[in-house]
């Protein structure tokens, strides 16, 4: 029952600021993430920067947002801080080796993000940076060499730092124009070699902490930024369909499954309200219009009323997504009285947790796949799923990660059941992340996800040597049999 349909896409997923490195090479400009320090659960990562007057700014969230950062600031880096995005695990210089390793597992797709500031260093340039374009030409050439399709994330939780500072990020409609110009450049350059595109990564994260790049963190600014991102995505989809016949567009959503803590009516109703926080983003982008329940969400977050023009409504409808892609790592529970968008959720006594407190719930993936497909009736694509764990490598860099194999065996089996038993139309699966990289949530290297171990510690020390873990050959066998080996 676990063999998947012919043409199913198997691969891995990465993000440029966690993986790529080379931040001061090839004409790359500064990203909003470049000021983000390393961290841990005990000492969360944050933005740290020095301003023109010598003052030190530590914005309140893990993304660029601080009320006390002036518009014309020219922040610099602090010598006593470690900024992981500058080096990451150096895909910039290791892309040939990494792609060969991924191809060795049988991948037929690789999801990666293009660094916006590598193409337009400030976002405002009239012409793109040719060196940056050439780097991704080389990456795609290498993928083609091994028969792997690119799945390109256009914007992965980031924007050029200059757009955040000068225009207040996605609160400005000018950034829509910058994004559309950036997309047009990518479509012209890579459109004949890339079928699948994601306009934004985990765009629903803007409701709580996400990549708006604004100085303010109030509800109105966050939901205005989200609207401008909706419009930018829709314009890109419409343009992409016109420029690249047969292209397919999605956007990526963080879709932890959410259960009511009990069957108490108040808990059930609160669950519905909180789940709509995710549907807000998926419904608007995949259906092409705002659902009436948005007014309740705006009221709850003190947004008031967004001034949405008739022209914007037409754009949203014309630029509907072709498929819904999402990340799935865990499930949460919620009950009456919990805050909306309660990331940690209430505890679930029926599940085990990872060392970072994330409940492990394979059946929740099947539940989530059905939930999305039942609602939207468009193909889905699982573009992130995996287990972050503390891997203990031997003197050769080898890791006996049976716990990861167990996690993936259960989750992939649940995925196969959703496809083969429930009839969910699923395009593919790209595991986060095929090669160890820097954790987004904590900025650590010790929180490892990959099939391939990278010799680097939390402060960037190490040889960067790549070594296959035990799970590498296990996953290779799953892909060779197109999932059938899950039944062994």
């Amino acid at each position: 029952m676990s063999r998947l349909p012919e043409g199913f896409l198997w691969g891995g997923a990465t993000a440029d600021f966690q993986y790529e490195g080379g931040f001061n090479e090839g004409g790359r400009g500064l990203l909003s993430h470049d000021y983000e320090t390393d961290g841990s659960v005990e000492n969360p990562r944050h933005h740290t920067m020095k301003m023109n007057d010598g003052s030190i700014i530590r914005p309140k969230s893990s993304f660029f947002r601080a009320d006390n950062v002036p518009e014309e600031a020219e922040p610099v880096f602090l010598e006593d801080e470690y900024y992981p995005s500058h080096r990451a695990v150096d895909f910039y210089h290791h892309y040939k080796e990494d792609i060969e390793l991924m191809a060795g597992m049988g991948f037929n797709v690789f999801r990666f993000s293009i660094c916006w500031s590598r193409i337009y260093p400030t976002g405002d340039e009239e012409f793109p940076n040719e060196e940056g374009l050439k780097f991704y030409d080389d990456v795609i050439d290498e993928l083609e060499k091994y028969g792997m399709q690119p799945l390109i994330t256009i914007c992965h939780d980031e924007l050029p730092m200059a757009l955040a500072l000068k225009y207040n990020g996605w609160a400005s409609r000018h950034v829509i124009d910058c994004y559309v110009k950036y997309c047009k450049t990518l479509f012209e350059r890579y459109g004949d070699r890339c079928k699948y595109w994601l306009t934004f990564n985990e765009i629903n994260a803007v409701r709580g902490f996400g990549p708006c790049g604004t100085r303010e963190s109030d509800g109105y600014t966050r939901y205005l930024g989200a609207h401008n991102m909706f419009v930018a995505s829709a314009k890109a989809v419409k343009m992409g369909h016109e420029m690249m016949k047969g292209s397919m567009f999605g956007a990526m959503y963080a879709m932890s499954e959410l259960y009511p803590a009990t069957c108490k009516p108040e808990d059930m109703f609160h669950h519905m309200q909180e789940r709509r926080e995710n549907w807000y983003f998926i419904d608007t982008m995949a259906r092409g219009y705002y659902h009436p329940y948005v007014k309740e969400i705006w009221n709850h977050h003190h947004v008031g009323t967004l001034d949405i023009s008739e022209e914007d409504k037409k754009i949203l409808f014309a630029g509907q997504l072709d498929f819904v892609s999402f990340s799935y790592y865990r499930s949460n529970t919620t009950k009456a009285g919990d805050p909306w968008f309660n990331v940690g959720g209430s505890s679930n006594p029926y599940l085990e947790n990872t060392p970072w407190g994330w409940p492990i719930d394979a059946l929740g993936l099947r539940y989530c796949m059905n939930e999305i497909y039942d609602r939207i009736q468009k193909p889905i694509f699982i573009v992130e799923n995996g287990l972050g764990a503390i891997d203990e490598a031997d003197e050769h860099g080898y890791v006996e990660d049976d716990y990861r194999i167990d996690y993936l065996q259960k989750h992939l089996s649940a995925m196969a059941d959703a496809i083969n038993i429930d009839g969910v139309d699923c395009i593919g699966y790209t595991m986060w992340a095929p090669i160890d990289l820097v954790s987004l949530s904590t900025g650590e290297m010790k929180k490892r996800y990959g099939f391939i171990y990278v010799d680097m510690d939390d402060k960037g020390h190490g040889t960067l040597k790549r070594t296959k873990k035990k799970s590498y050959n296990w996953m290779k066998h799953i892909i060779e049999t197109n999932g059938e080996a899950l039944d062994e």
Side-chain angles (χ1 to χ4, degrees):
M1 291 301 295
S2 293
R3 186 171 183 85
L4 296 170
E6 294 302 314
F8 188 81
L9 297 177
W10 292 99
T14 61
D16 60 283
F17 57 88
Q18 295 170 257
Y19 182 50
E20 188 174 287
F23 95 111
N24 60 349
E25 299 182 55
R28 178 190 183 279
L30 292 175
L31 279 180
S32 54
H33 269 292
D34 287 338
Y35 293 89
E36 198 163 21
T37 67
D38 64 317
S40 64
V41 174
E42 299 77 21
N43 181 28
R45 65 189 319 198
H46 53 274
H47 271 74
T48 299
M49 54 192 79
K50 187 175 182 180
M51 310 313 292
N52 314 39
D53 63 2
S55 61
I56 306 300
I57 298 295
R58 288 183 172 84
K60 293 175 288 188
S61 82
S62 59
F63 288 86
F64 176 76
R65 185 190 295 126
D67 298 331
N68 53 351
V69 176
E71 290 185 26
E72 299 303 321
E74 295 180 5
V76 297
F77 301 106
L78 276 70
E79 293 181 2
D80 59 347
E81 292 277 17
Y82 173 56
Y83 301 94
S85 70
H86 296 192
R87 190 190 193 198
V89 294
D90 201 24
F91 177 70
Y92 192 72
H93 295 105
H94 291 257
Y95 72 91
K96 290 186 177 181
E97 175 188 1
D98 287 0
I99 291 172
E100 182 178 10
L101 283 165
M102 288 185 271
M105 298 177 67
F107 283 9
N108 54 15
V109 65
F110 173 45
R111 178 191 170 208
F112 64 97
S113 59
I114 289 180
C115 176
W116 188 343
S117 66
R118 198 176 288 285
I119 308 304
Y120 286 97
T122 70
D124 263 335
E125 290 83 3
E126 182 179 358
F127 300 105
N129 171 35
E130 178 58 31
E131 260 191 285
L133 290 169
K134 178 62 167 56
F135 169 68
Y136 296 109
D137 269 328
D138 293 342
V139 169
I140 295 173
D141 285 346
E142 203 68 17
L143 294 175
E144 289 181 334
K145 175 180 170 182
Y146 294 101
M148 296 167 63
Q149 292 195 57
L151 167 59
I152 293 178
T153 309
I154 297 170
C155 182
H156 197 123
D157 304 345
E158 64 184 29
L159 73 167
M161 190 66 174
L163 296 182
L165 291 171
K166 187 174 181 180
Y167 300 105
N168 202 16
W170 282 104
S172 169
R173 291 188 69 94
H174 176 75
V175 177
I176 298 176
D177 297 334
C178 294
Y179 177 85
V180 172
K181 174 183 64 178
Y182 165 53
C183 289
K184 185 172 186 289
T185 298
L186 300 187
F187 299 162
E188 288 174 341
R189 187 72 169 229
Y190 313 122
D192 61 338
R193 295 188 287 165
C194 181
K195 177 180 179 179
Y196 296 102
W197 301 82
L198 304 179
T199 55
F200 290 99
N201 178 75
E202 291 192 343
I203 186 171
N204 53 325
V206 300
R207 63 188 176 168
F209 60 85
C212 278
T214 60
R215 286 180 291 278
E216 304 82 17
S217 57
D218 62 283
Y220 177 81
T221 304
R222 283 186 282 122
Y223 280 84
L224 172 63
H227 174 72
N228 288 340
M229 294 166 87
F230 292 162
V231 173
S233 174
K235 285 188 171 186
V237 171
K238 184 175 184 298
M239 178 174 63
H241 285 157
E242 293 168 354
M243 294 177 64
M244 305 176 293
K245 300 305 179 185
S247 58
M248 292 187 68
F249 283 83
M252 200 277 247
Y253 306 92
M255 284 299 291
S256 299
E257 191 47 69
L258 186 67
Y259 307 123
T262 75
C263 56
K264 183 180 178 181
E266 289 81 2
D267 290 348
M268 296 293 295
F269 191 79
H270 177 80
H271 166 266
M272 180 194 73
Q273 290 177 307
E274 188 172 340
R275 199 57 171 158
R276 279 177 169 175
E277 289 266 359
N278 265 344
W279 297 131
Y280 176 99
F281 292 83
I282 297 175
D283 283 345
T284 305
M285 300 178 76
R287 294 178 172 181
Y289 60 87
Y290 280 100
H291 192 283
Y293 65 69
V294 302
K295 293 180 181 178
E296 181 192 19
I297 291 176
W298 291 345
N299 288 336
H300 181 82
H301 293 289
H302 309 291
V303 174
T305 302
L306 293 181
D307 184 16
I308 300 172
S309 68
E310 291 302 315
E311 179 61 25
D312 280 357
K313 291 178 182 178
K314 292 178 182 177
I315 291 168
L316 292 177
F317 193 76
Q320 298 174 44
L321 302 177
D322 302 307
F323 63 92
V324 176
S325 65
F326 65 99
S327 61
Y328 179 86
Y329 293 100
R330 60 182 180 180
S331 64
N332 294 318
T333 65
T334 190
K335 61 184 183 302
D338 283 348
W340 287 16
F341 188 49
N342 183 20
V343 176
S346 302
S347 62
N348 190 331
Y350 301 101
L351 299 174
E352 295 182 4
N353 293 338
T354 73
W356 282 266
W358 291 17
I360 299 173
D361 181 9
L363 185 58
L365 175 58
R366 181 178 177 182
Y367 190 120
C368 197
M369 292 171 69
N370 277 276
E371 190 181 26
I372 298 170
Y373 189 62
D374 286 353
R375 186 182 185 97
I376 304 299
Q377 290 289 290
K378 290 184 177 182
I380 67 170
F381 202 148
I382 303 167
V383 295
E384 286 186 29
N385 170 244
L387 176 67
I390 300 174
D391 292 339
E392 297 292 341
D394 66 16
E395 66 273 20
H396 304 294
Y398 180 72
V399 176
E400 290 264 359
D401 56 341
D402 292 301
Y403 42 86
R404 182 167 291 109
I405 292 172
D406 179 67
Y407 176 98
L408 290 172
Q409 197 279 333
K410 291 175 180 175
H411 282 73
L412 294 174
S413 295
M415 176 189 75
D417 287 345
I419 295 169
N420 294 329
I421 299 175
D422 306 332
V424 174
D425 183 1
C426 182
I427 296 170
Y429 174 94
T430 57
M431 181 262 201
W432 184 272
I435 298 173
D436 289 345
L437 40 65
V438 177
S439 167
L440 169 64
S441 57
T442 63
E444 300 168 294
M445 272 301 294
K446 70 180 179 184
K447 186 181 184 183
R448 296 175 182 271
Y449 285 87
F451 300 114
I452 298 159
Y453 184 86
V454 176
D455 178 31
M456 194 178 92
D457 67 16
D458 288 345
K459 293 294 183 181
H461 305 126
T463 65
L464 296 177
K465 179 184 176 183
R466 274 73 163 150
T467 306
K468 300 172 185 176
K469 302 177 189 178
K470 183 176 181 180
S471 57
Y472 180 97
N473 286 324
W474 178 85
M475 189 65 180
K476 178 179 180 179
H477 184 47
I478 299 299
I479 295 172
E480 284 174 342
T481 64
N482 199 25
E484 192 170 345
L486 292 166
D487 296 327
E488 294 178 355

